[in-house]
Amino acid sequence: MSEFFAQFAVPHPSTLIYIAMASIVLGSIALVAIVTYFKLWGYLWREWITTVDHKKIGIMYLITALVMLFRGGVDAVMMRLQLAVPENGFLDAQHYNEVFTTHGVVMILFMAMPFITFFFNFLVPLQIGARDVAFPRLNNLAFWLFFMGMGLFNISFIVGGSPDAGWTSYFPLADNEFSTSVGTNYYMLALQIAGLGTLMTGINFITTIFKMRAPGMTLFKMPMFTWSALIANLIIVFAFPVLTVALAMGTMDRLWDTKFFAIGDGGMDMLWANLFWVWGHPEVYILILPAFGIFSEVISTFARRNLYGYTSMVWSLIVISVFSFAVWTHHFFTMGQGAFTNSIFSITTMAIAIPTGVKIFNWLFTLYKGKIVITTPMLYAMHFIPLFTLGGVTGVMLAMSAADYQYHNTMFLVAHFHNVIIPGVVYAMLAGLTFYWPKMFGFMLNERLGKATVWVMSFGFVLSFIPMYITGLDGQARRMYTYSEASGFSTLNMVSFVGAGIMSISFLMLVWNIWYSFKNSPRDIGSDPWDARGLEWATHTPIPHYNFAITPDVTDSTSEAFWDAKKNGTKLFKGEIQDIHMPNNSGQTFILSIFFFIGGFALVFSMFTLAIISLIGILACMGYRSLEDDHGYHIHKEEVELIEKKYDKEGGAK
Amino acid sequence: MKVNMKGTLLSFMGLGAILLAGCNDKLAVLDPKGPQAQRQADDTMLLIYLMSGIVLTVLAILVFMLFKYRASKQSPDYEPPHIHGHWLVETFMIGIPVIIVIFLSFVSVKSNYIVENVPQEYEDQEPLVIYASSSNWKWHFSYPEQGIETVNYLYIPAGRAIEFKLYSYGPITSFWIPQLGGQKYAMADMVTTLHLAADNPGEFWGRNANFSGRGTAENIFDVTALTQTEFDEWVSDVHETAAPLTEEKFDELLEPGHLGKQTYTGTHLEFSPAPEHNHDESSEEEVEEDHSSH
Ligand code: HEM
Ligand SMILES: [Cu+2]
């Protein structure tokens, strides 16, 4: 009996972990108490948990992403603190390993991914003039599967132990022999469950974009963000199945010693590396392409001009997506694959710089003859351009395979990928967040605070990451929890720690801004506070749950339908209001996801009876669904007219 | 607005200054002591110059656009035009990166063949073969020709090509001596080859650069390049003083943990040979043999 409970204990407890455990437990109790006290359970269930509304699902992704940004950020600061001085004893080796592994997984899969999925959900249907996504209930299921995967990963910290083999989880290190806690089991199963959700999202949005565009919206009239979303979701559908297979094989290695990747009996450790990066490299484009889409929207809006070179922009997206599958071995140039293979992948990798460069020049020329207003989102974009270029050119350096022998596995690499991912992905998300905030919540974030945040963030960023390029070239390897005084790395690492501290201040400023603006910002901002260009601004604020009372018709417009309507008087809404068909909410998907969570947890600890019970639960849910008849419901014409009248009275724009 | 632009410029200039200061200090990778590292350092400097040029160009265009076309400088009724693009601009936009990439591709391919082969100036003699294998968290260096094995330190003759044969008794590790040349992985199921050479006698450090668990940070070793005569003396010294490496002793050494420097006569290759059925393309004959025996 005690043995049964012993397996759930954390193998390397420390004061920090106990404090975290206590705060998590107290926090959860407080949350449950508050929800119960204000009698919010029913509201949460009806309005959020069971919702099929793409906007609300989007906001749930957003909240998850923001929470995970802070969780991953705390890990980052802990790492920088540990490395701030040589021979530091703040974290021991095992703890540091768990922290960087968790930081990597959380940031990429549970922060950046839900953040872009938030944009897919919130924006795509609005930009293409649709009422919802193609499969609304699948959308809800995708969210909950993702959420359960995220939850499963996060409890590893307090139940059984965190993974410690890096976010790349290379075998044989990740096998039972060398990673003895259940941490890597969590990694395998949590990513599997969340990944299923992502794959569903991919299928859903491809279908939505191909099938549900407003009349007149040809592919080459789609707004740039929708294009980037389409391409990113296509990459998802091609890349995620590879992850699914790799994780399934890895899980079997860990639970049943199958030795696909382990040492001996024909196990191939490099097979894991190949499968991981065949997914992993496209994955970074899944993140960055939508970020490019967001920047395109922001830059054209605040340059007050159409996007320069729309067509070349689209083609560069397409070319990048194809190439993203042809470069994965640049992650292991040093694996002894020989000069010929390295040459091929060196060239394909550098080739990606060409379409990426095209995009940078397109953004620059969008400013040409514009009328540039620097708002907070625009300031993010303007910082993004030079910082991301710096990250991009160091990527080209890494692509020179022979020279990469000297950069691989060093802080130079860490500096490079943060240099693309923070100004690229994180800035885009925060720019998009600020840009679309009024559309979501009906008030603006404070501009002064917002701009100050960007400056503090960039300052902290430069201070935090530029030193890593230098220590990398001086021989500081990555993932090392300590270094000696004699190495001479200490000054720059201290600078880097200070930079990380300044960056954390900027994130606190963001939180403060949300709170401050919630309290103080005016609510009568109309529906188009930025004087924007896309269809998403053509509906009311707050957005009615049917999005558009009349489906917009963009036959006579360019890719900036709303701008054309404002400037040239193109008519967007033709025809009469009619009955609107909407899908019903459903709680089944949530219940199904809970079974996935329990099943995943059971497998982590090899509790096969419980795993089989949850499998039966999953099959039962699916069986029930397949027998069910649900045709949704209609909002009647009169009701829509009533809602629309109310908006018109309140002065919403159209 | 004006202050902000200055801020950007200043931070970038500061950044440049830090970088330059760093270079003067002779960063390990930019302070090569052998032909392979020299090639990598040359490539690195070439890239730093070229890439700084690109970053500065982008920055200059950006600053120009922001100054010239900001709203506060324009009349309120100015309406920006609708511009689709221009074939000439777009040709330049694609053409210049294409040229840069083609140029770098040539450099890259050439460097690949250089670092993957015996260093060019050293082709006249047979390289000295050293097997470097890692175990949690140590390095075992076997000199089959000399009949010697060391733990956690390397003596090599300067002015002679060394052919390292890398593999691992455990997780993937990466063998790296920054001043002599870039790293390569050591894996459990195959042997990889790394060619290095030290131009002159000297002392360097090496490490496992690939994360392999709790002890990775301390997984380091010392490298000393000696003259050929000193090296030969050291070899005969070892034969006179060191104990032979037995199988039991070696199994003991493989136990996870850190060890100081150790020296033995004989090598573990005799009773625990390297996994030399090569997947490496540098040894195609062996692969062929493998196939014929199936
Ligand atoms: C807030 C600023 C951040 C700081 C100060 C920071 C710092 C660090 C540090 C110190 C490491 C470990 C380096 C090592 O020892 O190998 C690391 C690794 C990593 N970071 Fe960050 N990070 C930040 C934000 C982010 C973001 C936003 C992302 C992704 C969206 C990210 C993704 C990663 C990944 C994937 C790794 C590799 C983990 C591994 O080696 O397994 N980081 N970061
Ligand atoms: Cu990649």
Side-chain angles (χ1 to χ4, degrees):
Chain A
M1 198 63 198
S2 68
E3 215 173 280
F4 177 77
F5 285 109
Q7 64 178 331
F8 300 121
V10 176
H12 308 279
S14 70
T15 330
L16 271 173
I17 292 186
Y18 289 130
I19 295 174
M21 278 183 186
S23 51
I24 289 173
V25 171
L26 292 178
S28 319
I29 293 176
L31 204 66
V32 171
I34 291 171
V35 173
T36 312
Y37 182 80
F38 289 105
K39 301 202 172 59
L40 290 175
W41 288 113
Y43 165 78
L44 278 182
W45 177 262
R46 278 188 316 273
E47 296 291 323
W48 293 94
I49 293 175
T50 61
T51 189
V52 289
D53 182 340
H54 68 97
K55 300 179 287 295
K56 285 187 175 163
I57 293 177
I59 288 171
M60 292 197 287
Y61 275 111
L62 173 64
I63 294 169
T64 317
L66 286 173
V67 171
M68 285 299 111
L69 178 64
F70 281 88
R71 195 230 190 277
V74 170
D75 287 336
V77 173
M78 277 164 64
M79 285 188 280
R80 286 323 321 177
L81 180 60
Q82 165 64 21
L83 293 179
V85 291
E87 320 274 5
N88 197 355
F90 168 61
L91 300 175
D92 63 16
Q94 177 62 29
H95 201 160
Y96 189 85
N97 299 348
E98 293 176 11
V99 170
F100 74 67
T101 303
T102 315
H103 166 79
V105 175
V106 163
M107 282 299 200
I108 301 279
L109 286 149
F110 300 125
M111 189 283 284
M113 281 302 273
F115 225 127
I116 60 149
T117 317
F118 148 65
F119 286 119
F120 294 161
N121 269 283
F122 190 79
L123 277 185
V124 167
L126 292 174
Q127 283 204 327
I128 61 174
R131 294 232 158 83
D132 205 330
V133 294
F135 309 111
R137 200 187 287 198
L138 188 73
N139 202 17
N140 176 292
L141 176 60
F143 172 75
W144 284 115
L145 282 178
F146 158 78
F147 188 87
M148 294 302 164
M150 186 275 302
L152 189 61
F153 189 82
N154 273 284
I155 61 167
S156 72
F157 182 53
I158 50 171
V159 186
S162 295
D164 58 359
W167 89 286
T168 49
S169 224
Y170 272 17
F171 279 79
L173 180 64
D175 198 32
N176 294 325
E177 195 183 344
F178 302 107
S179 276
T180 44
S181 82
V182 293
T184 305
N185 298 358
Y186 270 114
Y187 173 99
M188 297 286 160
L189 289 151
L191 265 57
Q192 186 69 279
I193 295 172
L196 286 178
T198 306
L199 190 56
M200 291 174 188
T201 300
I203 294 168
N204 206 345
F205 280 89
I206 292 172
T207 319
T208 305
I209 294 173
F210 277 131
K211 289 286 176 198
M212 297 176 68
R213 294 192 309 278
M217 187 177 285
T218 58
L219 283 178
F220 275 81
K221 264 196 205 172
M222 295 198 306
M224 194 48 67
F225 176 77
T226 298
W227 255 114
S228 70
L230 174 63
I231 299 293
N233 282 296
L234 281 166
I235 302 180
I236 287 179
V237 168
F238 282 100
F240 267 77
V242 183
L243 179 70
T244 304
V245 170
L247 290 172
M249 289 161 85
T251 310
M252 287 192 261
D253 264 16
R254 289 201 51 101
L255 296 185
W256 298 296
D257 274 321
T258 43
K259 297 210 187 278
F260 285 115
F261 309 125
I263 299 180
D265 293 328
M268 289 187 284
D269 44 8
M270 289 125 69
L271 181 61
W272 168 268
N274 275 288
L275 290 175
F276 182 86
W277 286 115
V278 165
W279 161 77
H281 190 83
E283 165 67 18
V284 304
Y285 289 90
I286 295 170
L287 299 178
I288 201 72
L289 297 184
F292 288 171
I294 295 283
F295 282 128
S296 300
E297 303 289 344
V298 165
I299 291 173
S300 61
T301 299
F302 297 110
R304 305 265 177 255
R305 245 209 59 196
N306 66 316
L307 196 63
Y308 186 89
Y310 174 93
T311 322
S312 60
M313 211 70 168
V314 171
W315 280 107
S316 67
L317 279 174
I318 296 170
V319 171
I320 291 177
S321 74
V322 173
F323 264 80
S324 72
F325 283 93
V327 302
W328 79 97
T329 86
H330 66 208
H331 294 275
F332 38 86
F333 278 145
T334 60
M335 211 181 253
Q337 50 204 356
F340 181 74
T341 311
N342 276 0
S343 296
I344 304 263
F345 284 95
S346 172
I347 294 171
T348 52
T349 304
M350 286 192 285
I352 288 202
I354 299 167
T356 313
V358 168
K359 298 185 111 32
I360 292 188
F361 284 110
N362 277 326
W363 290 316
L364 287 175
F365 288 119
T366 300
L367 303 176
Y368 177 67
K369 292 202 171 164
K371 196 173 183 182
I372 303 165
V373 245
I374 302 287
T375 57
T376 305
M378 187 64 164
L379 194 59
Y380 276 114
M382 294 300 104
H383 283 215
F384 150 78
I385 290 179
L387 289 176
F388 180 83
T389 308
L390 182 64
V393 297
T394 54
V396 174
M397 292 179 72
L398 289 156
M400 295 278 288
S401 39
D404 179 61
Y405 283 25
Q406 292 281 28
Y407 318 140
H408 184 59
N409 274 330
T410 68
M411 290 317 263
F412 188 93
L413 169 87
V414 176
H416 152 72
F417 76 67
H418 285 88
N419 205 164
V420 285
I421 218 160
I422 292 179
V425 181
V426 178
Y427 278 29
M429 294 179 325
L430 299 180
L433 180 76
T434 318
F435 190 48
Y436 290 107
W437 190 272
K439 203 76 211 158
M440 284 186 284
F441 302 112
F443 62 92
M444 311 270 281
L445 292 175
N446 183 286
E447 278 289 287
R448 277 176 66 99
L449 261 170
K451 286 184 201 164
T453 307
V454 187
W455 282 105
V456 174
M457 194 176 295
S458 292
F459 184 64
F461 173 81
V462 169
L463 220 51
S464 183
F465 289 97
I466 303 303
M468 292 187 207
Y469 283 118
I470 300 166
T471 61
L473 289 179
D474 202 18
Q476 187 183 0
R478 76 191 280 211
R479 295 176 170 177
M480 305 295 149
Y481 81 107
T482 190
Y483 53 88
S484 69
E485 178 79 64
S487 63
F489 304 148
S490 52
T491 319
L492 287 169
N493 275 289
M494 180 51 93
V495 173
S496 185
F497 167 62
V498 172
I502 293 174
M503 279 195 89
S504 350
I505 294 174
S506 70
F507 287 107
L508 294 179
M509 287 166 74
L510 177 73
V511 177
W512 169 246
N513 193 348
I514 292 175
W515 175 250
Y516 178 87
S517 309
F518 172 69
K519 286 275 168 209
N520 298 313
S521 286
R523 306 294 143 128
D524 55 340
I525 52 166
S527 63
D528 179 27
W530 302 110
D531 193 10
R533 312 173 81 85
L535 268 186
E536 67 269 34
W537 302 95
T539 178
H540 312 285
T541 299
I543 310 169
H545 63 303
Y546 48 76
N547 290 356
F548 301 97
I550 302 169
T551 301
D553 182 330
V554 298
T555 318
D556 310 320
S557 318
T558 64
S559 66
E560 301 180 319
F562 183 50
W563 186 256
D564 297 341
K566 284 193 289 188
K567 293 294 144 173
N568 314 335
T570 321
K571 203 160 157 40
L572 283 179
F573 302 101
K574 301 169 186 163
E576 296 285 296
I577 291 179
Q578 286 166 346
D579 285 3
I580 295 175
H581 180 245
M582 298 297 287
N584 281 320
N585 284 2
S586 164
Q588 288 165 32
T589 46
F590 181 69
I591 295 166
L592 180 63
S593 311
I594 297 246
F595 279 120
F596 266 97
F597 180 88
I598 297 173
F601 184 82
L603 283 180
V604 167
F605 291 95
S606 304
M607 298 184 289
F608 297 114
T609 325
L610 185 57
I612 289 170
I613 294 173
S614 44
L615 180 65
I616 294 170
I618 290 169
L619 293 175
C621 286
M622 285 160 64
Y624 178 81
R625 170 67 180 136
S626 63
L627 297 175
E628 187 193 29
D629 261 334
D630 177 3
H631 299 297
Y633 69 103
H634 282 89
I635 313 176
H636 292 289
K637 188 171 143 194
E638 297 74 28
E639 202 181 327
V640 177
E641 277 164 353
L642 221 68
I643 299 175
E644 290 292 308
K645 262 210 198 85
K646 216 174 109 220
Y647 275 115
D648 289 343
K649 226 186 272 147
E650 283 164 10
K654 173 77 88 57
Chain B
M1 193 53 229
K2 211 163 198 165
V3 181
N4 290 351
M5 292 318 309
K6 259 193 206 139
T8 325
L9 281 179
L10 279 179
S11 23
F12 271 87
M13 273 153 62
L15 193 157
I18 299 178
L19 271 175
L20 286 178
C23 297
N24 285 340
D25 241 16
K26 288 274 181 192
L27 304 175
V29 167
L30 299 178
D31 185 20
K33 298 293 187 205
Q36 311 298 58
Q38 184 67 53
R39 176 76 191 182
Q40 287 158 336
D42 292 346
D43 282 2
T44 303
M45 284 320 294
L46 169 77
L47 285 162
I48 288 180
Y49 288 129
L50 193 62
M51 296 296 131
S52 314
I54 295 174
V55 174
L56 289 177
T57 312
V58 167
L59 192 65
I61 300 178
L62 179 67
V63 170
F64 171 78
M65 296 287 184
L66 284 176
F67 268 107
K68 184 103 196 274
Y69 299 110
R70 64 184 196 274
S72 56
K73 272 188 77 178
Q74 289 158 345
S75 70
D77 52 352
Y78 170 64
E79 278 283 341
H82 189 94
I83 308 173
H84 269 297
H86 190 278
W87 66 270
L88 193 63
V89 178
E90 292 190 51
T91 311
F92 268 106
M93 226 157 69
I94 301 174
I96 294 175
V98 167
I99 291 170
I100 296 177
V101 166
I102 290 178
F103 166 66
L104 287 180
S105 298
F106 275 112
V107 179
S108 180
V109 173
K110 194 147 176 244
S111 298
N112 278 334
Y113 282 92
I114 289 174
V115 300
E116 280 296 322
N117 286 305
V118 179
Q120 282 165 335
E121 306 91 283
Y122 296 84
E123 276 157 339
D124 47 333
Q125 348 120 335
E126 269 295 287
L128 172 68
V129 175
I130 303 177
Y131 283 76
S133 52
S134 61
S135 68
N136 276 340
W137 294 276
K138 303 165 278 314
W139 284 99
H140 310 264
F141 299 110
S142 322
Y143 299 70
E145 211 180 303
Q146 283 73 17
I148 285 180
E149 180 148 329
T150 65
V151 179
N152 289 337
Y153 78 96
L154 254 179
Y155 277 178
I156 54 170
R160 170 142 186 222
I162 318 282
E163 185 174 325
F164 286 102
K165 297 280 187 191
L166 311 170
Y167 59 100
S168 160
Y169 289 92
I172 301 173
T173 54
S174 194
F175 177 85
W176 187 32
I177 310 171
Q179 288 190 290
L180 298 188
Q183 61 193 287
K184 197 168 266 184
Y185 283 1
M187 292 164 282
D189 54 355
M190 67 184 266
V191 170
T192 48
T193 307
L194 181 65
H195 297 278
L196 297 180
D199 286 329
N200 295 299
E203 297 196 7
F204 318 106
W205 59 267
R207 69 162 310 119
N208 158 26
N210 192 53
F211 176 61
S212 66
R214 268 193 305 290
T216 322
E218 292 93 2
N219 199 355
I220 47 188
F221 57 92
D222 289 325
V223 186
T224 312
L226 306 164
T227 61
Q228 185 68 44
T229 25
E230 282 171 331
F231 180 76
D232 293 337
E233 266 166 39
W234 171 70
V235 171
S236 52
D237 251 17
V238 170
H239 277 288
E240 276 161 30
T241 55
L245 181 64
T246 59
E247 202 164 346
E248 298 94 281
K249 184 69 203 171
F250 185 65
D251 286 341
E252 223 174 89
L253 296 180
L254 288 184
E255 290 296 312
H258 295 289
L259 289 173
K261 298 174 185 180
Q262 303 195 354
T263 318
Y264 298 94
T265 54
T267 70
H268 73 258
L269 299 169
E270 289 140 30
F271 46 81
S272 173
E276 218 142 2
H277 56 87
N278 237 320
H279 305 297
D280 224 11
E281 59 165 25
S282 55
S283 52
E284 267 153 29
E285 309 102 322
E286 278 167 76
V287 177
E288 301 238 322
E289 256 170 43
D290 236 331
H291 282 290
S292 55
S293 64
H294 281 299

